[in-house]
Amino acid sequence: MTTHSNTPAGWYPDPQGVPQTLRWWDGAQWTEHTHAAQTQAPAPQQAQAAGVQRQVQQQAGVAGAGQGGGTLFTEPVLVVNQKAKLIELTNEYSVMDQHGNQLGSVVQVGQSAMKKALRFVASVDQFMTHRLEIRDAYGQPQMVLTRPAKFIKSRVVVERPDGSPVGEIVQQNAIGKINFAMNVNGQQVGAIKAENWRAWNFAIVDHADNEVARITKTWEGLAKTMFTTADNYVLQMHYQLPEPLLSLVVATALTVDTALKQDSRGFG
């Protein structure tokens, strides 16, 4: 069967006319079902899980990652998907494991009505302070990220919910391949290195410049890329990292869009 990007999701007969066989098109790929009784669309949770697995394995090229502990800080792969919006007024992200299970969320907090109004009428995000809460699957805050207003370079302050400091993520340059330093008490413990000038993908290294993790931006489709603010990422950690590097790496994956890419899309 010929597939096109505008083919609506749904059930279709087998192209070879095989009896008792239907094919389900989810908007990106076909799956075959051999029982004609399966005439209902997969449950939303199943569809989401299949989409996340495709995002991880096919788009990000992550395969064979081990099983984790089921939390934001114990899974080897985190999938970060931003909610698609035509105009970004509140940053919101879902955070899942490699199988599509919800691990947590990221929500922007502390915005006034005036700030939302300014974001609606002008591209002024980089001149505003942004505060994000990283929450677990039960909605409990795990970290708080604050990006002060920036002119050219970004800086993100990472804290525990009680206000105790974790470290900072500091942009090192504004021209060429963008790099960030991860600092704790004034000492650099790692870095985030963009692999091309548009900063789609990042290698994360420790203080000795050994790669410990990788962030890959996954393609969300031409329409979303051009007309909405959605950005999707996959974080793969190569092994269980020690603290506070672990928390900074997790914070990094959930901060890339706010720290850098948020200001690069659009016409303002």
Side-chain angles (χ1 to χ4, degrees), residues 165-239:
V166 176
E168 293 188 347
I169 304 166
V170 182
Q171 187 175 342
Q172 300 294 289
N173 62 309
I175 299 175
K177 298 178 181 179
I178 304 299
N179 293 327
F180 294 81
M182 293 185 288
N183 299 330
V184 175
N185 296 324
Q187 300 293 319
Q188 185 170 338
V189 299
I192 305 102
K193 299 182 177 183
E195 297 189 333
N196 53 63
W197 71 273
R198 296 203 63 181
W200 294 123
N201 302 324
F202 295 85
I204 303 178
V205 300
D206 61 16
H207 68 284
D209 205 38
N210 299 310
E211 183 176 309
V212 298
R214 176 170 291 273
I215 297 174
T216 304
K217 183 181 186 298
T218 52
W219 180 248
E220 70 270 32
L222 182 60
K224 284 188 179 181
T225 298
M226 294 182 65
F227 301 114
T228 77
T229 58
D231 274 320
N232 301 331
Y233 297 89
V234 172
L235 167 70
Q236 179 188 15
M237 287 180 277
H238 301 327
Y239 54 88

Side-chain angles (χ1 to χ4, degrees), residues 16 40 63 66 76 91 105 110 115 129 153 171-172 182 185 188 201 213 223 227 234 254 261 268:
Q16 307 300 323
Q40 300 298 317
N91 296 15
S105 61
K115 182 175 180 179
T129 295
K153 297 179 182 179
Q171 187 175 342
Q172 300 294 289
M182 293 185 288
N185 296 324
Q188 185 170 338
N201 302 324
F227 301 114
V234 172
L254 307 182
K261 293 192 59 56

Side-chain angles (χ1 to χ4, degrees), residues 59-86:
Q59 295 179 279
V62 176
Q67 294 297 318
T71 71
L72 290 169
F73 302 100
T74 58
E75 285 292 330
V77 175
L78 297 181
V79 180
V80 185
N81 288 346
Q82 185 176 10
K83 292 185 178 180
K85 304 172 189 176
L86 290 177

Side-chain angles (χ1 to χ4, degrees), residues 9-72:
W11 290 104
Y12 293 85
D14 182 80
Q16 307 300 323
V18 178
Q20 306 297 315
T21 299
L22 292 174
R23 304 179 87 200
W24 170 258
W25 172 250
D26 66 1
Q29 69 175 13
W30 294 98
T31 55
E32 186 174 284
H33 299 262
T34 56
H35 299 286
Q38 295 175 323
T39 57
Q40 300 298 317
Q45 296 87 346
Q46 294 175 326
Q48 175 178 285
V52 168
Q53 291 173 20
R54 183 171 59 254
Q55 182 182 346
V56 171
Q57 297 170 12
Q58 298 178 16
Q59 295 179 279
V62 176
Q67 294 297 318
T71 71
L72 290 169

